[in-house]
Amino acid sequence: MPGLSIQQQISLLYKQQSRRILATLIRLLGDFELAEEAMQEAFSAALKQWPAEGIPEKPRAWLISAGRFKAIDRLRKLKRQAAWADEFIEHTGDSFSLSTQDIDDDQLRLIFTCCHPALPEDARVALTLREVCGLTTEQVASAFLLKPTAIAQRIVRAKRKIREAGIPYEVPEKKQLPQRLNTVLQVIYLVFNEGYCASSGDNLVNSALMDEAIHLTRQLSHLLNTTEINGLLALMLFQSSRRAARTNEQGKLLRLDQQDRSLWNNQQIKEADRLLQDILPKPDMGPYTIQAAIAGLHADAPHYKDTNWREILAFYDLLIRIQNTPVVALNRAVALSMAFGPEEGLKAIKQLNHSGVLDNYHLLHASQADLHRQLKQFNQAAACYRRAIELSEQSAERHYLQQQLDKLNKP
């Protein structure tokens, strides 16, 4: 990485590789907290040693080895060692070997561990997002539309269950994979979404999270080649292809109709199209494949005005039959408005909003605001924009929504 200081290279390594390093340390140490502390100590050691000694040939393996030995030293220094600590030290010894493939596989091992059927489903997703993918408790809570304290409790209980039940750190046999696959795919897609549109902070896009989700899905496709795995990969590639065009030079959000499509990544679009062509006719296609078809219609339209909204709406009608969630219903309502006018979209959103499930979801109010604006119902639009701004924790989104609100107030 020419031009970067050693400290900057270590920082970049932490950003790009820390979750993979942590996954390996959790497997080696068998304990989440111990592995987290060991990883932090390993990076601290790197900051002290590498400026003088140089960056090792295999920095990731060095950090894993250093973290492991830091953990062993910590256990040896305990005045009162538990029996499991003695067994751990005896079992691990003072030497071990680690291949690049071992490290890459460890993330999948840990994901499948966190998604074990013995854990409640909501705890599986929360734990994996927090520990495997590095999302903060607040980010995980945003994905669930819940409070951080509730998510933190789920994560603590799940860790305890893994430790007490002795759930193994392994990728299950192929015959056991299907029962865990849906949760694994859900986790990976939530990670991608956090990268595609960060729930908080100053930056709309977190490319590292998006790339990590795509990497994990590719690994899964090598392990188990199913329609939905390839559908998820196609969906993420279509969405990832737009990342360079989603903000302007100042980091401000650009809507789909404002984006420069020449900046879209054609290589990713072509790969996604090939995947979709292979899987779309299959009878076992699920929600990710259908969403990929929707994303493909956006990606393949030469201009925004050429978007086939009626076909997109047809796919949403199919999607809602198998995944009737409030967010899917909201997206369908937006597609309905594009196909048949803002009045129809508003009717659908009002019906959806009777349940109150999305009261604190900023995109519901942003969608309502835009439809009211199109109908020149400016007072209603302004109220919805203000509510969306109040609920959004993302700087780029808030700035965009404020811009729209300001335009309403101009003569």
Side-chain angles (χ1 to χ4, degrees):
M1 290 172 276
L4 296 180
S5 68
I6 289 181
Q7 287 84 357
Q8 288 172 324
Q9 292 183 59
I10 293 172
S11 177
L12 185 61
L13 187 64
Y14 185 90
K15 182 178 179 182
Q16 294 176 341
Q17 300 289 341
S18 62
R19 307 325 292 182
R20 298 179 193 179
I21 292 168
L22 180 63
T24 297
L25 286 171
I26 289 173
R27 175 175 63 85
L28 293 172
L29 304 176
D31 183 90
F32 283 87
E33 280 73 21
L34 186 62
E36 183 73 42
E37 292 170 359
M39 184 185 72
Q40 299 298 337
E41 289 186 359
F43 273 96
S44 295
L47 284 169
K48 293 175 184 176
Q49 293 177 224
W50 291 7
E53 301 173 4
I55 296 177
E57 184 179 349
K58 297 179 179 179
R60 189 165 56 167
W62 187 99
L63 287 160
I64 292 168
S65 179
R68 175 178 169 274
F69 284 119
K70 292 285 185 185
I72 292 174
D73 288 344
R74 172 171 294 193
L75 291 174
R76 282 176 172 158
K77 289 175 182 176
L78 289 176
K79 294 179 180 177
R80 193 166 45 84
Q81 286 188 358
W84 71 267
D86 291 326
E87 290 174 8
F88 166 74
I89 293 170
E90 181 180 351
H91 174 72
T92 57
D94 289 326
S95 64
F96 77 118
S97 60
L98 204 61
S99 70
T100 300
Q101 190 60 48
D102 282 332
I103 300 172
D104 285 338
D105 287 347
D106 277 333
Q107 263 196 311
L108 278 184
R109 289 189 186 104
L110 187 54
I111 285 178
F112 277 103
T113 300
C114 294
C115 294
H116 195 279
L119 300 174
E121 184 169 352
D122 54 2
R124 295 179 219 165
V125 177
L127 179 65
T128 311
L129 291 174
R130 178 68 188 92
E131 299 300 327
V132 181
C133 307
L135 272 63
T136 66
T137 304
E138 289 74 20
Q139 288 172 326
V140 179
S142 175
F144 280 92
L145 305 179
L146 292 173
K147 293 181 179 179
T149 50
I151 292 298
Q153 289 171 355
R154 288 183 189 179
I155 292 170
V156 169
R157 286 195 296 265
K159 287 180 183 178
R160 187 186 305 129
K161 177 74 173 180
I162 289 174
R163 184 173 61 250
E164 293 175 353
I167 293 174
Y169 292 84
E170 62 186 16
V171 174
E173 296 178 5
K174 283 200 173 183
K175 63 182 180 181
Q176 298 174 312
L177 284 173
Q179 64 179 328
R180 300 197 209 175
L181 189 58
N182 286 341
T183 306
V184 171
L185 294 179
Q186 180 187 5
V187 165
I188 291 174
Y189 191 43
L190 286 171
V191 172
F192 180 86
N193 279 340
E194 181 62 32
Y196 182 78
C197 187
S199 58
S200 60
D202 295 332
N203 297 319
L204 179 70
V205 175
N206 183 332
S207 289
L209 281 180
M210 293 171 68
D211 292 339
E212 192 63 33
I214 291 171
H215 168 76
L216 287 169
T217 309
R218 290 192 194 280
Q219 283 186 275
L220 265 182
S221 69
H222 294 316
L223 184 70
L224 189 70
N225 191 16
T226 72
T227 299
E228 274 296 84
I229 292 174
N230 289 323
L232 177 59
L233 181 57
L235 171 59
M236 292 191 296
L237 288 169
F238 277 133
Q239 292 179 325
S240 173
S241 71
R242 301 198 296 265
R243 74 175 77 176
R246 293 184 60 233
T247 56
N248 63 16
E249 293 179 357
Q250 291 76 41
K252 303 298 185 285
L253 176 66
L254 297 176
R255 297 191 312 263
L256 196 58
D257 60 315
Q258 298 173 317
Q259 292 175 19
D260 179 356
R261 298 192 174 208
S262 69
L263 297 177
W264 289 7
N265 187 321
N266 284 323
Q267 184 177 348
Q268 289 186 324
I269 292 173
K270 288 178 181 177
E271 182 184 355
D273 275 330
R274 287 194 299 270
L275 285 166
L276 202 55
Q277 287 169 8
D278 289 339
I279 61 177
L280 197 55
K282 293 186 178 180
D284 62 337
M285 67 179 184
Y288 298 113
T289 303
I290 296 170
Q291 289 177 79
I294 294 169
L297 287 168
H298 286 296
D300 294 334
H303 305 283
Y304 183 78
K305 61 181 175 59
D306 300 319
T307 306
N308 190 334
W309 286 105
R310 294 197 177 192
E311 191 170 355
I312 288 174
L313 179 61
F315 274 116
Y316 271 118
D317 288 339
L318 180 60
L319 178 61
I320 208 161
R321 291 181 200 165
I322 59 175
Q323 195 178 58
N324 189 4
T325 68
V327 173
V328 170
L330 174 60
N331 291 336
R332 181 194 173 277
V334 173
L336 180 67
S337 75
M338 297 302 297
F340 294 105
E343 298 96 337
E344 294 302 315
L346 266 179
K347 286 179 188 176
I349 290 178
K350 285 177 180 177
Q351 288 176 350
L352 167 66
N353 205 27
H354 283 318
S355 67
V357 174
L358 296 181
D359 277 353
N360 294 321
Y361 187 51
H362 70 284
L363 292 180
L364 171 80
H365 302 283
S367 300
Q368 281 184 302
D370 188 55
L371 296 177
H372 282 303
R373 178 189 58 79
Q374 291 178 47
L375 292 169
K376 301 188 186 306
Q377 297 168 352
F378 299 126
N379 289 337
Q380 296 97 316
C384 290
Y385 276 130
R386 282 192 288 269
R387 180 61 174 151
I389 293 166
E390 179 185 340
L391 291 169
S392 177
E393 297 181 6
Q394 219 297 319
S395 296
E397 282 188 332
R398 280 201 309 273
H399 184 272
Y400 167 77
L401 293 167
Q402 186 63 53
Q403 276 187 322
Q404 302 308 109
L405 178 59
D406 292 343
K407 288 179 183 177
L408 294 179
N409 296 326
K410 288 181 180 179

